[in-house]
Amino acid sequence: MSDFDDLVSAERRRFDEQAAAQAAQREDRLRSEPPRWQQAVARVQDVLAASVRHLQDAGVPPEPVLEWRNPWQRFQTYGFESVGRVVTIGHRWPLGPFALDAQARVYKPRRSERLETGHVNTWASHTMNKKRRKARLRTGLAPDQQVMWGSADDLVALDPAEGARSGRIFCFGIAGDGTPLLVSGDSDLPDQPLEPYLAKTVAARISANASR
């Protein structure tokens, strides 16, 4: 065997050894990560439940979550116009990068807006927008009520296995010492500890509600 063949064989062994070492590291991480994430998720759920308790005790109302359902069509002189039915599918507190319901379940964030101005189509006819406004008001909510538009698909599962696989669950992560983090969606902004963020955000909502 030539010296070159020896070099190739040596490099192949080195690559095989590196691959085996990396596989072993992955196995170790998969064994160690689920317990860490189980502990972190339990802590996150405790903090979320405490946040809901503070909001409820202070009388901060959650915002109705609305969804358009079952559009119907009625023949008009100049064609078809469709109007949807608006239904209330739940109530949530918006807390920045996520929202919570009364059971402290996590939902994707949705924009909060007044019922009266929601879903106005600038391209639609005046008649169509009037019909859509009436559909919103049929919910029985006040025109100035703050609402969110969402769906049941907004629910986020806090699955420790997902955290072990990807290093985060939705907007939640964990620091090296196990501290739950709020993971920034902006690469220029650092992650931050979840508990101080929620304490400040919940206190701000309570204060704003008290000043109304």
Side-chain angles (χ1 to χ4, degrees), residues 109-136:
R110 295 295 181 182
R111 185 177 66 183
S112 177
E113 60 187 14
R114 291 178 61 196
L115 175 71
E116 187 175 27
T117 57
H119 282 61
V120 174
N121 188 340
T122 56
W123 295 98
S125 68
H126 178 67
T127 300
M128 175 63 72
N129 278 326
K130 282 182 64 177
K131 291 178 180 178
R132 288 176 176 167
R133 181 177 182 272
K134 288 181 179 179
R136 295 193 296 271

PDB file of all heavy atoms in Angstrom, residues 109-136:
ATOM      1  N   PRO A 109     -49.800  35.071  19.137  1.00  0.00           N
ATOM      2  CA  PRO A 109     -50.304  36.435  19.321  1.00  0.00           C
ATOM      3  C   PRO A 109     -51.151  36.889  18.139  1.00  0.00           C
ATOM      4  O   PRO A 109     -50.908  36.499  16.994  1.00  0.00           O
ATOM      5  CB  PRO A 109     -49.018  37.266  19.415  1.00  0.00           C
ATOM      6  CG  PRO A 109     -48.025  36.498  18.604  1.00  0.00           C
ATOM      7  CD  PRO A 109     -48.350  35.050  18.829  1.00  0.00           C
ATOM      8  N   ARG A 110     -52.145  37.681  18.423  1.00  0.00           N
ATOM      9  CA  ARG A 110     -52.991  38.288  17.395  1.00  0.00           C
ATOM     10  C   ARG A 110     -53.137  39.770  17.694  1.00  0.00           C
ATOM     11  O   ARG A 110     -53.117  40.181  18.856  1.00  0.00           O
ATOM     12  CB  ARG A 110     -54.374  37.631  17.359  1.00  0.00           C
ATOM     13  CG  ARG A 110     -54.357  36.179  16.942  1.00  0.00           C
ATOM     14  CD  ARG A 110     -53.896  36.001  15.513  1.00  0.00           C
ATOM     15  NE  ARG A 110     -53.897  34.614  15.088  1.00  0.00           N
ATOM     16  CZ  ARG A 110     -53.494  34.197  13.899  1.00  0.00           C
ATOM     17  NH1 ARG A 110     -53.022  35.084  13.026  1.00  0.00           N
ATOM     18  NH2 ARG A 110     -53.521  32.917  13.578  1.00  0.00           N
ATOM     19  N   ARG A 111     -53.296  40.554  16.646  1.00  0.00           N
ATOM     20  CA  ARG A 111     -53.425  41.996  16.841  1.00  0.00           C
ATOM     21  C   ARG A 111     -54.729  42.313  17.557  1.00  0.00           C
ATOM     22  O   ARG A 111     -55.781  41.746  17.259  1.00  0.00           O
ATOM     23  CB  ARG A 111     -53.396  42.702  15.485  1.00  0.00           C
ATOM     24  CG  ARG A 111     -53.403  44.229  15.602  1.00  0.00           C
ATOM     25  CD  ARG A 111     -53.305  44.874  14.243  1.00  0.00           C
ATOM     26  NE  ARG A 111     -54.497  44.591  13.452  1.00  0.00           N
ATOM     27  CZ  ARG A 111     -54.651  44.987  12.192  1.00  0.00           C
ATOM     28  NH1 ARG A 111     -53.678  45.637  11.579  1.00  0.00           N
ATOM     29  NH2 ARG A 111     -55.763  44.706  11.535  1.00  0.00           N
ATOM     30  N   SER A 112     -54.650  43.230  18.505  1.00  0.00           N
ATOM     31  CA  SER A 112     -55.822  43.674  19.241  1.00  0.00           C
ATOM     32  C   SER A 112     -56.335  44.964  18.597  1.00  0.00           C
ATOM     33  O   SER A 112     -55.558  45.870  18.291  1.00  0.00           O
ATOM     34  CB  SER A 112     -55.452  43.925  20.703  1.00  0.00           C
ATOM     35  OG  SER A 112     -56.552  44.430  21.423  1.00  0.00           O
ATOM     36  N   GLU A 113     -57.660  45.042  18.384  1.00  0.00           N
ATOM     37  CA  GLU A 113     -58.233  46.220  17.748  1.00  0.00           C
ATOM     38  C   GLU A 113     -59.674  46.397  18.190  1.00  0.00           C
ATOM     39  O   GLU A 113     -60.293  45.486  18.753  1.00  0.00           O
ATOM     40  CB  GLU A 113     -58.170  46.095  16.224  1.00  0.00           C
ATOM     41  CG  GLU A 113     -58.933  44.899  15.675  1.00  0.00           C
ATOM     42  CD  GLU A 113     -58.721  44.703  14.184  1.00  0.00           C
ATOM     43  OE1 GLU A 113     -57.792  45.314  13.625  1.00  0.00           O
ATOM     44  OE2 GLU A 113     -59.499  43.948  13.581  1.00  0.00           O
ATOM     45  N   ARG A 114     -60.209  47.573  17.945  1.00  0.00           N
ATOM     46  CA  ARG A 114     -61.613  47.834  18.297  1.00  0.00           C
ATOM     47  C   ARG A 114     -62.527  47.050  17.377  1.00  0.00           C
ATOM     48  O   ARG A 114     -62.267  46.912  16.176  1.00  0.00           O
ATOM     49  CB  ARG A 114     -61.910  49.319  18.188  1.00  0.00           C
ATOM     50  CG  ARG A 114     -61.225  50.175  19.239  1.00  0.00           C
ATOM     51  CD  ARG A 114     -61.540  51.644  19.008  1.00  0.00           C
ATOM     52  NE  ARG A 114     -62.978  51.897  19.108  1.00  0.00           N
ATOM     53  CZ  ARG A 114     -63.556  53.006  18.663  1.00  0.00           C
ATOM     54  NH1 ARG A 114     -62.846  53.939  18.066  1.00  0.00           N
ATOM     55  NH2 ARG A 114     -64.863  53.171  18.800  1.00  0.00           N
ATOM     56  N   LEU A 115     -63.611  46.567  17.924  1.00  0.00           N
ATOM     57  CA  LEU A 115     -64.568  45.783  17.141  1.00  0.00           C
ATOM     58  C   LEU A 115     -65.101  46.576  15.953  1.00  0.00           C
ATOM     59  O   LEU A 115     -65.211  46.058  14.846  1.00  0.00           O
ATOM     60  CB  LEU A 115     -65.737  45.350  18.036  1.00  0.00           C
ATOM     61  CG  LEU A 115     -66.875  44.613  17.332  1.00  0.00           C
ATOM     62  CD1 LEU A 115     -66.428  43.217  16.919  1.00  0.00           C
ATOM     63  CD2 LEU A 115     -68.108  44.533  18.223  1.00  0.00           C
ATOM     64  N   GLU A 116     -65.413  47.843  16.171  1.00  0.00           N
ATOM     65  CA  GLU A 116     -66.069  48.638  15.139  1.00  0.00           C
ATOM     66  C   GLU A 116     -65.173  48.825  13.911  1.00  0.00           C
ATOM     67  O   GLU A 116     -65.655  48.890  12.783  1.00  0.00           O
ATOM     68  CB  GLU A 116     -66.455  49.998  15.703  1.00  0.00           C
ATOM     69  CG  GLU A 116     -67.293  50.826  14.759  1.00  0.00           C
ATOM     70  CD  GLU A 116     -67.764  52.115  15.407  1.00  0.00           C
ATOM     71  OE1 GLU A 116     -67.067  52.600  16.329  1.00  0.00           O
ATOM     72  OE2 GLU A 116     -68.804  52.636  15.004  1.00  0.00           O
ATOM     73  N   THR A 117     -63.876  48.926  14.120  1.00  0.00           N
ATOM     74  CA  THR A 117     -62.973  49.214  13.007  1.00  0.00           C
ATOM     75  C   THR A 117     -62.325  47.959  12.432  1.00  0.00           C
ATOM     76  O   THR A 117     -61.589  48.031  11.458  1.00  0.00           O
ATOM     77  CB  THR A 117     -61.851  50.161  13.463  1.00  0.00           C
ATOM     78  OG1 THR A 117     -61.152  49.564  14.574  1.00  0.00           O
ATOM     79  CG2 THR A 117     -62.423  51.496  13.883  1.00  0.00           C
ATOM     80  N   GLY A 118     -62.592  46.812  13.026  1.00  0.00           N
ATOM     81  CA  GLY A 118     -61.924  45.602  12.584  1.00  0.00           C
ATOM     82  C   GLY A 118     -62.395  45.098  11.233  1.00  0.00           C
ATOM     83  O   GLY A 118     -63.569  45.179  10.889  1.00  0.00           O
ATOM     84  N   HIS A 119     -61.447  44.602  10.461  1.00  0.00           N
ATOM     85  CA  HIS A 119     -61.730  43.941   9.185  1.00  0.00           C
ATOM     86  C   HIS A 119     -62.490  44.837   8.205  1.00  0.00           C
ATOM     87  O   HIS A 119     -63.428  44.408   7.546  1.00  0.00           O
ATOM     88  CB  HIS A 119     -62.519  42.641   9.403  1.00  0.00           C
ATOM     89  CG  HIS A 119     -61.655  41.514   9.860  1.00  0.00           C
ATOM     90  ND1 HIS A 119     -60.947  41.558  11.020  1.00  0.00           N
ATOM     91  CD2 HIS A 119     -61.373  40.320   9.287  1.00  0.00           C
ATOM     92  CE1 HIS A 119     -60.279  40.435  11.169  1.00  0.00           C
ATOM     93  NE2 HIS A 119     -60.510  39.665  10.128  1.00  0.00           N
ATOM     94  N   VAL A 120     -62.095  46.094   8.122  1.00  0.00           N
ATOM     95  CA  VAL A 120     -62.653  46.986   7.104  1.00  0.00           C
ATOM     96  C   VAL A 120     -61.841  46.809   5.829  1.00  0.00           C
ATOM     97  O   VAL A 120     -60.623  46.945   5.822  1.00  0.00           O
ATOM     98  CB  VAL A 120     -62.606  48.452   7.569  1.00  0.00           C
ATOM     99  CG1 VAL A 120     -63.049  49.375   6.439  1.00  0.00           C
ATOM    100  CG2 VAL A 120     -63.483  48.647   8.797  1.00  0.00           C
ATOM    101  N   ASN A 121     -62.523  46.487   4.761  1.00  0.00           N
ATOM    102  CA  ASN A 121     -61.872  46.259   3.471  1.00  0.00           C
ATOM    103  C   ASN A 121     -61.938  47.548   2.651  1.00  0.00           C
ATOM    104  O   ASN A 121     -63.013  47.984   2.250  1.00  0.00           O
ATOM    105  CB  ASN A 121     -62.568  45.115   2.724  1.00  0.00           C
ATOM    106  CG  ASN A 121     -61.823  44.711   1.468  1.00  0.00           C
ATOM    107  OD1 ASN A 121     -61.019  45.467   0.929  1.00  0.00           O
ATOM    108  ND2 ASN A 121     -62.073  43.491   1.007  1.00  0.00           N
ATOM    109  N   THR A 122     -60.776  48.159   2.433  1.00  0.00           N
ATOM    110  CA  THR A 122     -60.763  49.439   1.715  1.00  0.00           C
ATOM    111  C   THR A 122     -61.168  49.282   0.259  1.00  0.00           C
ATOM    112  O   THR A 122     -61.492  50.257  -0.410  1.00  0.00           O
ATOM    113  CB  THR A 122     -59.355  50.067   1.787  1.00  0.00           C
ATOM    114  OG1 THR A 122     -58.396  49.138   1.266  1.00  0.00           O
ATOM    115  CG2 THR A 122     -58.996  50.419   3.217  1.00  0.00           C
ATOM    116  N   TRP A 123     -61.121  48.037  -0.249  1.00  0.00           N
ATOM    117  CA  TRP A 123     -61.491  47.808  -1.642  1.00  0.00           C
ATOM    118  C   TRP A 123     -62.962  47.428  -1.801  1.00  0.00           C
ATOM    119  O   TRP A 123     -63.491  47.393  -2.905  1.00  0.00           O
ATOM    120  CB  TRP A 123     -60.623  46.704  -2.252  1.00  0.00           C
ATOM    121  CG  TRP A 123     -59.178  47.084  -2.332  1.00  0.00           C
ATOM    122  CD1 TRP A 123     -58.186  46.753  -1.462  1.00  0.00           C
ATOM    123  CD2 TRP A 123     -58.561  47.913  -3.333  1.00  0.00           C
ATOM    124  NE1 TRP A 123     -56.993  47.302  -1.842  1.00  0.00           N
ATOM    125  CE2 TRP A 123     -57.184  48.012  -3.005  1.00  0.00           C
ATOM    126  CE3 TRP A 123     -59.031  48.560  -4.467  1.00  0.00           C
ATOM    127  CZ2 TRP A 123     -56.286  48.733  -3.760  1.00  0.00           C
ATOM    128  CZ3 TRP A 123     -58.134  49.287  -5.232  1.00  0.00           C
ATOM    129  CH2 TRP A 123     -56.780  49.380  -4.883  1.00  0.00           C
ATOM    130  N   ALA A 124     -63.616  47.130  -0.666  1.00  0.00           N
ATOM    131  CA  ALA A 124     -65.016  46.704  -0.743  1.00  0.00           C
ATOM    132  C   ALA A 124     -65.947  47.906  -0.870  1.00  0.00           C
ATOM    133  O   ALA A 124     -65.574  49.046  -0.572  1.00  0.00           O
ATOM    134  CB  ALA A 124     -65.378  45.887   0.490  1.00  0.00           C
ATOM    135  N   SER A 125     -67.158  47.634  -1.277  1.00  0.00           N
ATOM    136  CA  SER A 125     -68.153  48.696  -1.401  1.00  0.00           C
ATOM    137  C   SER A 125     -68.580  49.170  -0.018  1.00  0.00           C
ATOM    138  O   SER A 125     -68.400  48.482   0.992  1.00  0.00           O
ATOM    139  CB  SER A 125     -69.373  48.183  -2.166  1.00  0.00           C
ATOM    140  OG  SER A 125     -70.058  47.204  -1.397  1.00  0.00           O
ATOM    141  N   HIS A 126     -69.148  50.363   0.025  1.00  0.00           N
ATOM    142  CA  HIS A 126     -69.658  50.903   1.287  1.00  0.00           C
ATOM    143  C   HIS A 126     -70.721  49.976   1.857  1.00  0.00           C
ATOM    144  O   HIS A 126     -70.763  49.730   3.076  1.00  0.00           O
ATOM    145  CB  HIS A 126     -70.235  52.298   1.042  1.00  0.00           C
ATOM    146  CG  HIS A 126     -70.826  52.918   2.267  1.00  0.00           C
ATOM    147  ND1 HIS A 126     -70.065  53.296   3.356  1.00  0.00           N
ATOM    148  CD2 HIS A 126     -72.126  53.211   2.584  1.00  0.00           C
ATOM    149  CE1 HIS A 126     -70.853  53.795   4.292  1.00  0.00           C
ATOM    150  NE2 HIS A 126     -72.111  53.759   3.848  1.00  0.00           N
ATOM    151  N   THR A 127     -71.577  49.430   0.980  1.00  0.00           N
ATOM    152  CA  THR A 127     -72.637  48.516   1.428  1.00  0.00           C
ATOM    153  C   THR A 127     -72.042  47.266   2.064  1.00  0.00           C
ATOM    154  O   THR A 127     -72.504  46.794   3.110  1.00  0.00           O
ATOM    155  CB  THR A 127     -73.537  48.117   0.246  1.00  0.00           C
ATOM    156  OG1 THR A 127     -74.128  49.286  -0.296  1.00  0.00           O
ATOM    157  CG2 THR A 127     -74.617  47.148   0.690  1.00  0.00           C
ATOM    158  N   MET A 128     -70.976  46.719   1.434  1.00  0.00           N
ATOM    159  CA  MET A 128     -70.345  45.516   1.968  1.00  0.00           C
ATOM    160  C   MET A 128     -69.746  45.765   3.350  1.00  0.00           C
ATOM    161  O   MET A 128     -69.914  44.961   4.275  1.00  0.00           O
ATOM    162  CB  MET A 128     -69.252  45.044   0.997  1.00  0.00           C
ATOM    163  CG  MET A 128     -68.446  43.861   1.504  1.00  0.00           C
ATOM    164  SD  MET A 128     -69.444  42.384   1.741  1.00  0.00           S
ATOM    165  CE  MET A 128     -69.748  41.946   0.045  1.00  0.00           C
ATOM    166  N   ASN A 129     -69.061  46.889   3.514  1.00  0.00           N
ATOM    167  CA  ASN A 129     -68.459  47.192   4.815  1.00  0.00           C
ATOM    168  C   ASN A 129     -69.521  47.420   5.878  1.00  0.00           C
ATOM    169  O   ASN A 129     -69.321  47.065   7.045  1.00  0.00           O
ATOM    170  CB  ASN A 129     -67.540  48.403   4.699  1.00  0.00           C
ATOM    171  CG  ASN A 129     -66.163  48.026   4.166  1.00  0.00           C
ATOM    172  OD1 ASN A 129     -65.666  46.942   4.448  1.00  0.00           O
ATOM    173  ND2 ASN A 129     -65.560  48.913   3.397  1.00  0.00           N
ATOM    174  N   LYS A 130     -70.673  47.997   5.494  1.00  0.00           N
ATOM    175  CA  LYS A 130     -71.773  48.154   6.448  1.00  0.00           C
ATOM    176  C   LYS A 130     -72.287  46.791   6.903  1.00  0.00           C
ATOM    177  O   LYS A 130     -72.567  46.570   8.086  1.00  0.00           O
ATOM    178  CB  LYS A 130     -72.900  48.955   5.816  1.00  0.00           C
ATOM    179  CG  LYS A 130     -72.652  50.459   5.756  1.00  0.00           C
ATOM    180  CD  LYS A 130     -73.836  51.196   5.163  1.00  0.00           C
ATOM    181  CE  LYS A 130     -75.068  51.058   6.022  1.00  0.00           C
ATOM    182  NZ  LYS A 130     -76.210  51.841   5.493  1.00  0.00           N
ATOM    183  N   LYS A 131     -72.386  45.850   5.969  1.00  0.00           N
ATOM    184  CA  LYS A 131     -72.846  44.504   6.318  1.00  0.00           C
ATOM    185  C   LYS A 131     -71.850  43.805   7.233  1.00  0.00           C
ATOM    186  O   LYS A 131     -72.238  43.104   8.178  1.00  0.00           O
ATOM    187  CB  LYS A 131     -73.064  43.682   5.048  1.00  0.00           C
ATOM    188  CG  LYS A 131     -74.246  44.136   4.209  1.00  0.00           C
ATOM    189  CD  LYS A 131     -74.369  43.299   2.954  1.00  0.00           C
ATOM    190  CE  LYS A 131     -75.554  43.753   2.107  1.00  0.00           C
ATOM    191  NZ  LYS A 131     -75.655  42.976   0.847  1.00  0.00           N
ATOM    192  N   ARG A 132     -70.591  43.996   6.964  1.00  0.00           N
ATOM    193  CA  ARG A 132     -69.569  43.373   7.807  1.00  0.00           C
ATOM    194  C   ARG A 132     -69.583  43.984   9.208  1.00  0.00           C
ATOM    195  O   ARG A 132     -69.376  43.279  10.196  1.00  0.00           O
ATOM    196  CB  ARG A 132     -68.202  43.534   7.155  1.00  0.00           C
ATOM    197  CG  ARG A 132     -68.045  42.643   5.922  1.00  0.00           C
ATOM    198  CD  ARG A 132     -66.736  42.879   5.218  1.00  0.00           C
ATOM    199  NE  ARG A 132     -66.582  41.946   4.097  1.00  0.00           N
ATOM    200  CZ  ARG A 132     -65.667  42.059   3.153  1.00  0.00           C
ATOM    201  NH1 ARG A 132     -64.819  43.072   3.174  1.00  0.00           N
ATOM    202  NH2 ARG A 132     -65.589  41.166   2.190  1.00  0.00           N
ATOM    203  N   ARG A 133     -69.813  45.289   9.273  1.00  0.00           N
ATOM    204  CA  ARG A 133     -69.897  45.930  10.581  1.00  0.00           C
ATOM    205  C   ARG A 133     -71.091  45.378  11.358  1.00  0.00           C
ATOM    206  O   ARG A 133     -70.993  45.090  12.558  1.00  0.00           O
ATOM    207  CB  ARG A 133     -70.024  47.442  10.422  1.00  0.00           C
ATOM    208  CG  ARG A 133     -70.095  48.189  11.757  1.00  0.00           C
ATOM    209  CD  ARG A 133     -70.147  49.697  11.547  1.00  0.00           C
ATOM    210  NE  ARG A 133     -70.175  50.378  12.826  1.00  0.00           N
ATOM    211  CZ  ARG A 133     -71.286  50.649  13.501  1.00  0.00           C
ATOM    212  NH1 ARG A 133     -72.465  50.269  13.010  1.00  0.00           N
ATOM    213  NH2 ARG A 133     -71.230  51.284  14.654  1.00  0.00           N
ATOM    214  N   LYS A 134     -72.232  45.222  10.684  1.00  0.00           N
ATOM    215  CA  LYS A 134     -73.407  44.657  11.349  1.00  0.00           C
ATOM    216  C   LYS A 134     -73.132  43.236  11.828  1.00  0.00           C
ATOM    217  O   LYS A 134     -73.579  42.834  12.905  1.00  0.00           O
ATOM    218  CB  LYS A 134     -74.601  44.675  10.398  1.00  0.00           C
ATOM    219  CG  LYS A 134     -75.181  46.062  10.151  1.00  0.00           C
ATOM    220  CD  LYS A 134     -76.382  45.987   9.214  1.00  0.00           C
ATOM    221  CE  LYS A 134     -76.980  47.366   8.981  1.00  0.00           C
ATOM    222  NZ  LYS A 134     -78.134  47.317   8.044  1.00  0.00           N
ATOM    223  N   ALA A 135     -72.397  42.476  11.020  1.00  0.00           N
ATOM    224  CA  ALA A 135     -72.062  41.105  11.419  1.00  0.00           C
ATOM    225  C   ALA A 135     -71.209  41.113  12.685  1.00  0.00           C
ATOM    226  O   ALA A 135     -71.386  40.259  13.564  1.00  0.00           O
ATOM    227  CB  ALA A 135     -71.327  40.399  10.280  1.00  0.00           C
ATOM    228  N   ARG A 136     -70.294  42.080  12.786  1.00  0.00           N
ATOM    229  CA  ARG A 136     -69.465  42.166  13.999  1.00  0.00           C
ATOM    230  C   ARG A 136     -70.310  42.555  15.209  1.00  0.00           C
ATOM    231  O   ARG A 136     -70.145  42.006  16.300  1.00  0.00           O
ATOM    232  CB  ARG A 136     -68.331  43.181  13.780  1.00  0.00           C
ATOM    233  CG  ARG A 136     -67.335  42.783  12.717  1.00  0.00           C
ATOM    234  CD  ARG A 136     -66.081  43.645  12.774  1.00  0.00           C
ATOM    235  NE  ARG A 136     -66.354  45.050  12.488  1.00  0.00           N
ATOM    236  CZ  ARG A 136     -66.349  45.597  11.279  1.00  0.00           C
ATOM    237  NH1 ARG A 136     -66.118  44.817  10.216  1.00  0.00           N
ATOM    238  NH2 ARG A 136     -66.574  46.882  11.107  1.00  0.00           N
TER     239      ARG A 136
END
